[in-house]
Amino acid sequence: MNTAIPELTVRPLAGLPMFAAGQSIAQAICSVLAASGDGLRGGDICVIAQKIVSKSEGRTVDLAALTPGAAARDLAARTGREASMAQAILDESAEIMRPHAAAIIARHRTGHVLANAGIDASNVEGGEAGTVLLWPVDPDASARAIRRELQEASGVQVAVVIADSMGRAWRIGTVGTAIGCAGLTVLEDRRGRAVDLYGRTLQATVIAVADSVAAMAALAMGEGDEGTPVALVRGAARWISEEDGPGAASGLRPIEQDMFR
């Protein structure tokens, strides 16, 4: 008989600041929880929007300050992008996989594959004038640092997921995806360890736990002007570990296993 899984709940946190370079996300989370009469509990997962992590780390770029090279000018001509934006995408990418007018699909230098190397101007001050936001330099390291600060402040064991909305091959729409992770199982490999309802041993089931948590939280956090870039997920303590773990990068399929080239 399978052990019952506790009920999962998601609570978006209101009242957080707009965030600027150097501002502590962990302190802000603890402050808004305290103001609401709550606090972090052991087994909580803090899902944090990539944008506020990038803002706190000062990852803004003024496109007007970039000097596009020949490769950027060529990419811009092929896709209808501004040459400065094409240069920013190239700077953040390990590989351009599909240049297209709808989106430039790139393998980000962290290994994630997504549109426009994750560069975005929405919910960014000055976005209409050419200011854009880049991903954190190392999202997993960012998650570890925030987790450490949260645990020092609260005295309890929690996990941190940094999430961004990403498209999926062959599907329409975006889904919240883990790009940074600390203290949470990224992949639960159930192959050979569990059975189905008829007693057959599972042969192919590997659950993307961190991505599933990110997707669930993103629905509550919103994508527009909701102003809730952090969500608290409760009921998932079974996947939290004392160690930070290998991070979200461990959930990336190795290039040599790419089945679509």
Side-chain angles (χ1 to χ4, degrees):
M1 180 69 68
N2 291 332
T3 302
I5 298 176
E7 180 181 0
L8 296 175
T9 64
V10 184
R11 173 190 171 188
L13 301 186
L16 290 163
M18 294 299 291
F19 288 99
Q23 195 165 1
S24 170
I25 292 173
Q27 289 179 14
I29 290 172
C30 291
S31 293
V32 298
L33 282 172
S36 70
D38 197 359
L40 288 172
R41 308 172 191 171
D44 282 351
I45 304 171
C46 289
V47 181
I48 304 169
Q50 163 266 320
K51 280 186 178 165
I52 67 170
V53 178
S54 293
K55 287 178 181 180
S56 73
E57 295 181 1
R59 296 287 288 156
T60 55
V61 168
D62 182 0
L63 292 178
L66 299 180
T67 302
R73 294 193 297 272
D74 176 68
L75 182 60
R78 295 164 64 191
T79 60
R81 290 286 192 286
E82 293 290 334
S84 56
M85 180 62 171
Q87 184 63 57
I89 292 171
L90 287 170
D91 290 345
E92 285 294 288
S93 301
E95 178 186 5
I96 300 300
M97 305 191 65
R98 289 290 185 274
H100 193 277
I104 297 173
I105 306 303
R107 187 180 300 279
H108 191 268
R109 51 181 175 69
T110 59
H112 296 267
V113 175
L114 74 165
N116 306 322
I119 299 172
D120 197 1
S122 65
N123 284 324
V124 177
E125 185 177 359
E128 69 285 347
T131 299
V132 297
L133 202 59
L134 312 180
W135 269 15
V137 172
D138 184 340
D140 282 326
S142 300
R144 292 192 293 270
I146 295 170
R147 184 193 194 210
R148 182 167 56 251
E149 192 173 355
L150 285 171
Q151 293 189 151
E152 288 174 353
S154 66
V156 297
Q157 184 170 283
V158 299
V160 169
V161 173
I162 298 174
D164 196 8
S165 296
M166 295 168 60
R168 304 152 295 155
W170 323 125
R171 307 283 287 193
I172 296 171
T174 62
V175 170
T177 304
I179 69 167
C181 185
L184 182 70
T185 297
V186 175
L187 300 172
E188 182 181 12
D189 189 348
R190 307 199 73 192
R191 295 173 296 182
R193 303 179 183 181
V195 296
D196 67 11
L197 292 172
Y198 296 94
R200 291 189 291 266
T201 301
L202 300 182
Q203 301 295 322
T205 302
V206 180
I207 301 171
V209 175
D211 283 341
S212 297
V213 169
M216 177 174 62
L219 287 176
M221 292 157 67
E223 297 284 345
D225 62 358
E226 293 85 356
T228 49
V230 176
L232 204 59
V233 176
R234 286 176 168 157
R238 61 177 288 193
W239 289 293
I240 293 180
S241 61
E242 182 176 352
E243 300 78 19
D244 286 334
S250 65
L252 297 174
R253 188 179 297 279
I255 293 177
E256 60 270 19
Q257 295 179 15
D258 188 336
M259 295 179 281
F260 298 100
R261 286 183 183 262

